[in-house]
Amino acid sequence: MGLQIDSASGSITLLPENGSGNVIVTIPRAGVQTALTMATQAEMVAGSSSVIKGMSPLLVAQAISAVVSPSFTRAQIIRSSLIFTASYTGKHRIILIGGGGGGAVAKNSSYIGATGGGAGGVCVKDVSLTAGNSYYVVVGSGGSGNAISGSSNTSNSGNSGYTTSVTIDGTTYSANGGSGGSATFGGTQLAGASGGTATNGDFNFTGGSSGYVDGYGIRASGGGAVNLSGSVDLSSSGFVYNNSYSYAVASGGAGVSGPSASAYGSSANAASAGGTPGVIPAQAYNTFSYSYAESLLPLQLLGFLLTGVGGNSSSSTAGSPTGGNGAGGGACATSSAGYYSATAGTAFGGGGGCAQSYSGASYYQHGGGNGGIGAGGGACAIYNNSGGSYAYSGSGGQGLAVILW
């Protein structure tokens, strides 16, 4: 039989017997009323509060959609440091790319080698932001190349790129700059410059490195490309090997997910073309609800389509990349005086390396190619003659930040 309680005449007191005394429960005539605060969509997406709050079916559906399949309709491309103020409460995707490292430059009357710069790292993170809150976004500069002139044997390393970062609720998300290239005198192997790392993202990828140089003669490698594939090897420039004192050898800049070929010299000058971008793998790289390839799709929608073709190599002025972004600059290897240079990479592609073995007395000027956005600059290595010639290396590309919501 059910128990019916009539409180029409006032409050009711229940006195249950539990064997150790009475427990008094009083139900007021007005009933039990508890104020329940509604959760916001941002709180539901973040999922970090333990306070019990109310939720409507609409907010539940919106929160699930935001977490499982974020749909972004707006974006801001940030090319220099600024304060970003969120205009929307909810899921945002942040893509950070560090600045590329500059290539090294060197001249010597004997064996010499110089390496290009490494590319900046890549950090991708989905975060919940609140409308009206402001965040300072730092965009890292590319590391500058260097130049040398005169008739003395000398070399200068490239400068490292700078970090692109943003701090949100006490956590700093960073894409570090690529290392600058270095140079060596003599016939020893010289490791390429490493790419920048990244921290605290859903995806943290190290930038492509520049190729190493080995052997004898005059040797220069191209710059690394931004790693949008998850593989450092697929975004690195080719190595350079020369077994003859008399010749110049250089490799082209790397393409995105398309490394430049290595360059070998034995009986003639040799140079490789810039890398042409490859396909970004579609597989997921961790257990997040979106794959790395999907996370970078906004870059393509924003006009950074990876459709470039690597620049051709040349014994004079190397060919420039064509057709779009993501391609490396062509290398230049020559024994002639004059004004010759490698070419720059397009967005995210490394600059080409330049090597010259002319030993006459005429003045000449040669240079490595600049890196595209976030990519490393190409190196320049030339034979030191009595003409007081001028040589310069390529600078690394400026970093980048993209925020989507």
Side-chain angles (χ1 to χ4, degrees):
M1 176 184 294
L3 176 65
Q4 183 177 7
I5 299 176
D6 184 356
S7 62
S9 61
S11 298
I12 296 175
T13 299
L14 302 179
L15 304 174
E17 188 72 30
N18 64 1
S20 61
N22 294 334
V23 176
I24 301 175
V25 180
T26 300
I27 304 175
R29 182 176 182 179
V32 179
Q33 295 180 346
T34 302
L36 192 62
T37 303
M38 294 297 292
T40 66
Q41 182 184 341
E43 290 174 326
M44 295 168 64
V45 170
S48 58
S49 175
S50 60
V51 178
I52 297 176
K53 295 185 177 182
M55 298 176 291
S56 70
L58 176 60
L59 284 178
V60 171
Q62 290 174 339
I64 293 174
S65 176
V67 172
V68 175
S69 180
S71 177
F72 305 111
T73 59
R74 298 183 180 180
Q76 183 168 343
I77 300 174
I78 303 173
R79 299 181 183 271
S80 59
S81 300
L82 53 72
I83 295 175
F84 172 81
T85 300
S87 60
Y88 162 77
T89 295
K91 184 74 69 177
H92 290 63
R93 178 163 298 163
I94 298 173
I95 302 174
L96 307 174
I97 299 174
V105 61
K107 58 188 302 186
N108 191 22
S109 55
S110 183
Y111 306 143
I112 188 171
T115 63
V122 177
C123 175
V124 181
K125 179 66 179 180
D126 276 9
V127 294
S128 292
L129 303 182
T130 301
N133 287 356
S134 296
Y135 310 89
Y136 186 54
V137 182
V138 178
V139 177
S141 301
S144 61
N146 266 305
I148 52 179
S149 59
S151 57
S152 60
N153 295 334
T154 187
S155 66
N156 285 319
S157 297
N159 293 290
S160 296
Y162 292 86
T163 299
T164 298
S165 66
V166 62
T167 299
I168 300 172
D169 296 333
T171 300
T172 299
Y173 306 97
S174 300
N176 298 314
S179 298
S182 55
T184 182
F185 294 156
T188 58
Q189 184 179 113
L190 180 64
S194 59
T197 57
T199 56
N200 290 329
D202 295 339
F203 300 97
N204 302 295
F205 285 155
T206 299
S209 61
S210 62
Y212 70 83
V213 296
D214 198 3
Y216 309 97
I218 314 298
R219 298 149 287 149
S221 64
V226 175
N227 179 5
L228 301 182
S229 67
S231 171
V232 172
D233 291 340
L234 290 179
S235 299
S236 298
S237 65
F239 70 83
V240 177
Y241 181 80
N242 188 0
N243 64 3
S244 172
Y245 168 79
S246 303
Y247 299 108
V249 183
S251 65
V256 174
S257 196
S260 61
S262 298
Y264 303 85
S266 58
S267 59
N269 296 325
S272 66
T276 293
V279 176
I280 296 177
Q283 71 267 28
Y285 287 89
N286 59 15
T287 58
F288 283 86
S289 59
Y290 60 92
S291 73
Y292 183 68
E294 290 171 336
S295 76
L296 293 170
L297 179 61
L299 287 178
Q300 299 186 33
L301 298 179
L302 293 171
F304 295 113
L305 294 173
L306 305 178
T307 57
V309 177
N312 293 326
S313 60
S314 174
S315 60
S316 55
T317 300
S320 296
T322 58
N325 297 309
C332 175
T334 181
S335 296
S336 301
Y339 296 81
Y340 301 130
S341 64
T343 53
T346 58
F348 313 127
C354 180
Q356 190 267 4
S357 60
Y358 175 76
S359 58
S362 301
Y363 175 85
Y364 54 81
Q365 180 173 309
H366 298 296
N370 293 328
I373 295 172
C380 182
I382 65 173
Y383 184 87
N384 186 21
N385 68 355
S386 59
S389 298
Y390 180 79
Y392 60 93
S393 55
S395 295
Q398 178 84 4
L400 182 74
V402 178
I403 300 179
L404 303 109
W405 65 95

